[in-house]
Amino acid sequence: MSTYLGDERLGELLTASDSTLSVGDVKEVIGGVSAAPTPMEAHGWLDLIRNQAHDSLDRQLVALHTDVVERSQFGLGQPKPPKTRLNALVAELSRRGVDGFIVPRADEHQGEYVPPCASRLEWLTGFSGSAGAAAVLGNEAAIFIDGRYTIQVEAETDTSTFAAQHLVKNPVSKWLSDHASSGQKIGFDPWLHTLSQVRKLRGVLEKKGASLTSLDTNPVDAVWGEQPATPISPVRVQDIEHAGKPSKEKRMEIAGSLVAQNAEAAVLSLPDSIAWLLNIRGADIPRTPFPLSFAIIFKSGDVHLFIDRRKVTSAVREHLGAGVRLFEREGLAVELESLAQLKSRVWVDPSSIPQWVVDRLDGAALLERQDPCALPKACKNPVELQGTRRAHIRDGVAVTRFLGWLDKKVSNGSTDELEASDYLESCRRRSPELRDLSFDTISGAGPNGAIVHYRSNESTNRKLEQGSLYLVDSGG
């Protein structure tokens, strides 16, 4: 493995390769790459920095990336983090003049998986489950989880600091209603709460004489000293061989829906909808093959895509064509405010659109409907159906190999949860078509199989024994 030889040497190699990026630019890109999941194509991100392979430059870029990853701490993956984090947040809330704050397990796109930079709930409480929230109000704090995580929250969160509450039986809104006093201000990050969520919270608090206050920036970010960068991974084209329908055809189909509803445009905040619409894929977050982005599709079929343009290669630009214009995410506010000024009729999905977007559409006529891509995306074309069948056959081969191996290993008591999980993944990786696992494999032996969403580690790893149950839940 090469050693990073320093910024001066990297600058020389960038110049020699005719790269337009400075050393500082490269370090920003690599910071984002280090915050994204490790891709199947280990060094595919190099295409974001140079136009063609350059051995000396590539070795230095990989060495720099390795250094950055090894130094990255982020403050995540730490069960029962110190109460000093909560104390720092409470002090920051006081400085901003609010009495409380809601920390959802969500990013701007409301997906099941979030990038490390959006793992605010985990950083604050230690809880790493896929659904939950926390609320802080003065000297009180609570964490909200559903029945899947009653064991996990006790292991990961100091429940003497964050009182554990049932997310459904005693949701955030009810807890705030029971604990907030008249005149108190409860802060929230408008990027992380949807239109529907804000309406419900605001209605509950107003009945108590309290108010829901939108904050310009997230106070958790202000006290999270090691917060990771926003992830950067290359966008790639989903070719027609796999998509089955050209992006332009999809765009005109959605445009027809807009015309039928007399809408000028629709704002899309779900990356899976945007990836489907534009026939693109990415790897910004774990186990989920799409790039994080926002989009506005107009009744003409044209699309404005708001994305970190450093992720977009020349091949992807060519694929998108003239009907798709690229903007940095910072340009989204200008486009939304322009639609508002024109009093346009704008389609939004209240269950997923961030309140931040709605605030900037003040003056527009909102058409509240399900995401216009949701139903067309669900209606698979013949190519997609055939692709699904072939994927199941390939995965069936991998699982069959695994089961044959498992029979032999269990018979002599020589395997455990971690080895079994690793071997199953290796069976899937024999297929060159594998892009990623569907989710982290649940491999639980004996009593561990009863733990919902269990993830084995060195301290919990158990042997697979004859006569005991073994649960494996996996996908590729």
Side-chain angles (χ1 to χ4, degrees):
M1 182 180 293
S2 298
T3 300
Y4 183 57
L5 300 178
D7 294 356
E8 184 176 350
R9 177 57 177 158
L10 178 59
E12 292 170 354
L13 292 170
L14 289 169
T15 301
S17 68
D18 295 325
S19 173
T20 59
L21 300 181
S22 68
V23 171
D25 294 335
V26 168
K27 286 188 170 183
E28 283 191 9
V29 171
I30 288 180
V33 170
S34 70
T38 302
M40 295 292 290
E41 304 89 351
H43 302 315
W45 55 269
L46 291 170
D47 292 338
L48 303 179
I49 295 174
R50 64 356 175 217
N51 294 323
Q52 57 187 6
H54 186 291
D55 288 347
S56 297
L57 175 60
D58 289 358
R59 284 195 295 271
Q60 284 301 289
L61 292 172
V62 171
L64 176 57
H65 175 258
T66 301
D67 285 355
V68 171
V69 170
E70 289 178 351
R71 292 197 308 269
S72 299
Q73 298 297 320
F74 300 159
L76 298 173
Q78 180 180 346
K80 301 187 178 180
K83 190 177 179 180
T84 51
R85 296 182 182 181
L86 175 60
N87 294 340
L89 176 59
V90 170
E92 178 66 16
L93 297 178
S94 177
R95 189 186 69 79
R96 298 190 185 201
V98 292
D99 302 290
F101 187 67
I102 304 167
V103 185
R105 200 276 184 185
D107 66 359
E108 300 92 325
H109 308 283
Q110 301 297 315
E112 180 178 355
Y113 290 94
V114 299
C117 63
S119 298
R120 299 176 180 91
L121 181 64
E122 181 180 354
W123 178 84
L124 182 65
T125 69
F127 177 67
S128 63
S130 62
V136 178
L137 184 59
N139 294 322
E140 296 183 276
I143 184 165
F144 302 82
I145 44 89
D146 61 37
R148 295 172 295 172
Y149 296 115
T150 52
I151 296 175
Q152 183 174 336
V153 75
E154 292 290 342
E156 295 183 339
T157 302
D158 181 354
T159 52
S160 66
T161 299
F162 291 91
Q165 306 291 327
H166 196 285
L167 188 61
V168 177
K169 297 177 181 177
N170 189 31
V172 175
S173 56
K174 185 178 185 304
W175 188 88
L176 286 172
S177 176
D178 292 342
H179 290 76
S181 302
S182 178
Q184 286 192 311
K185 296 179 179 179
I186 310 302
F188 77 103
D189 183 340
W191 277 111
L192 308 183
H193 295 263
T194 68
L195 172 58
S196 295
Q197 291 168 347
V198 169
R199 278 178 176 158
K200 182 176 181 179
L201 288 165
R202 187 162 278 150
V204 166
L205 289 171
E206 285 177 352
K207 288 179 181 178
K208 292 296 298 284
S211 61
L212 191 64
T213 303
S214 177
L215 302 180
D216 292 337
T217 59
N218 195 302
V220 175
D221 298 350
V223 297
W224 186 355
E226 300 174 327
Q227 188 176 23
T230 302
I232 297 175
S233 76
V235 178
R236 58 182 176 83
V237 176
Q238 178 80 339
D239 58 49
I240 196 68
E241 176 186 352
H242 295 97
K245 183 185 288 188
S247 172
K248 185 173 182 179
E249 188 176 332
K250 295 178 181 180
R251 288 187 275 122
M252 294 314 298
E253 180 182 354
I254 302 304
S257 298
L258 293 175
V259 171
Q261 294 291 336
N262 194 30
E264 181 67 31
V267 182
L268 306 178
S269 61
L270 298 177
D272 54 309
S273 290
I274 298 167
W276 171 84
L277 180 68
L278 301 180
N279 286 346
I280 56 175
R281 297 293 186 267
D284 284 336
I285 51 180
R287 314 307 190 205
T288 314
F290 48 65
L292 297 178
S293 59
F294 287 86
I296 300 175
I297 180 168
F298 297 89
K299 64 181 181 182
S300 64
D302 289 343
V303 170
H304 289 180
L305 177 62
F306 301 88
I307 190 170
D308 187 334
R309 285 188 281 191
R310 294 174 297 182
K311 298 189 289 193
V312 184
T313 64
S314 56
V316 173
R317 292 173 188 267
E318 182 178 353
H319 158 76
L320 292 173
V324 180
R325 293 181 60 190
L326 297 179
F327 299 84
E328 295 292 342
R329 200 180 86 164
E330 290 74 15
L332 180 58
V334 174
E335 291 288 316
L336 296 173
E337 289 163 2
S338 176
L339 289 169
Q341 289 171 2
L342 294 172
K343 301 188 183 302
S344 301
R345 185 171 167 86
V346 181
W347 186 324
V348 298
D349 185 338
S351 68
S352 59
I353 200 74
Q355 181 65 37
W356 184 93
V357 170
V358 175
D359 291 342
R360 277 142 194 83
L361 287 172
D362 187 23
L366 296 187
L367 173 67
E368 297 185 26
R369 297 282 191 278
Q370 183 184 46
D371 181 323
C373 297
L375 185 58
K377 176 165 62 72
C379 298
K380 304 303 181 185
N381 62 55
V383 170
E384 291 172 317
L385 291 172
Q386 184 61 23
T388 300
R389 296 186 188 103
R390 289 174 176 170
H392 276 284
I393 291 171
R394 286 192 292 267
D395 204 55
V397 170
V399 172
T400 301
R401 283 186 178 132
F402 168 72
L403 292 175
W405 172 89
L406 189 64
D407 276 346
K408 296 175 183 177
K409 299 290 283 189
V410 172
S411 64
N412 57 29
S414 62
T415 192
D416 56 34
E417 295 169 345
L418 291 175
E419 183 185 25
S421 176
D422 290 345
Y423 186 78
L424 177 53
E425 181 173 345
S426 75
C427 291
R428 288 193 164 101
R429 288 184 181 273
R430 294 186 194 183
S431 170
E433 287 86 1
L434 180 70
R435 285 288 179 182
D436 197 358
L437 300 183
S438 303
F439 50 90
D440 294 324
T441 298
I442 299 171
S443 175
N448 288 344
I451 301 174
V452 181
H453 287 199
Y454 169 71
R455 284 191 65 187
S456 184
N457 57 54
E458 293 294 342
S459 64
T460 64
N461 190 25
R462 292 178 64 93
K463 286 279 188 181
L464 275 59
E465 300 174 344
Q466 287 280 14
S468 68
L469 290 175
Y470 172 56
L471 170 72
V472 59
D473 188 2
S474 68

